[in-house]
Amino acid sequence: IVVFEPPEAWVQGGPRTPFIKRVIGLPGETIEIRDGTVLVDGTELDELYVFDGQPTTAIDEPARWGVPDGELFVMGDHRSASADSRAFGPIARDTVIGRAWLRYWPISALGILPTPVYAPPVGNGDARPSPAAP
């Protein structure tokens, strides 16, 4: 869950109050909305966090987006009332100003949000040449 500056075209000269949304898609992934569900690269998301089990609908058809390098696809949990990537497309990663760390509503769920743990990248991206053999 990230906090970011909304796209300029979306605020249309109004106040640039930061948005808070859930990251759904990463660079290189394809996001699709079909029959009220979200698919990432063809795999349906199990979205237990969506407000009141609201189905996800698309604003425009076709409901399919590719996420370019350096961008993120974000959506709100209150899908029927969320201004998100379904409306303005993927956001530039450099507009992200922080990560949400506290949940305060509903009060019964007050607490620190867990920090996600991701699998390490495949391969050894920061491998260094081994020292020369004597």
Side-chain angles (χ1 to χ4, degrees):
I1 301 173
V2 296
V3 180
F4 63 97
E5 295 291 336
E8 183 65 42
W10 187 254
V11 295
Q12 299 175 3
R16 293 192 55 106
T17 303
F19 284 9
I20 181 168
K21 305 291 176 195
R22 187 176 300 272
V23 175
I24 300 295
L26 299 173
E29 294 180 331
T30 300
I31 310 304
E32 186 176 3
I33 298 172
R34 187 182 328 142
D35 300 325
T37 61
V38 178
L39 296 98
V40 177
D41 289 338
T43 301
E44 184 177 330
L45 294 183
D46 185 16
E47 298 188 291
L48 301 175
Y49 44 78
V50 174
F51 187 79
D52 287 338
Q54 295 174 358
T56 302
T57 57
I59 295 169
D60 294 317
E61 296 293 332
R64 185 179 175 96
W65 301 264
V67 184
D69 285 341
E71 298 190 5
L72 302 168
F73 193 92
V74 296
M75 293 191 343
D77 292 353
H78 195 332
R79 298 287 164 83
S80 66
S82 182
D84 54 34
S85 288
R86 293 173 295 162
F88 47 71
I91 63 165
R93 188 172 178 176
D94 64 5
T95 64
V96 174
I97 57 177
R99 181 183 80 79
W101 60 273
L102 176 70
R103 176 186 348 212
Y104 64 89
W105 194 261
I107 294 294
S108 61
L110 175 70
I112 304 297
L113 293 170
T115 300
V117 177
Y118 301 101
V122 176
N124 191 356
D126 44 344
R128 293 182 178 86
S130 59

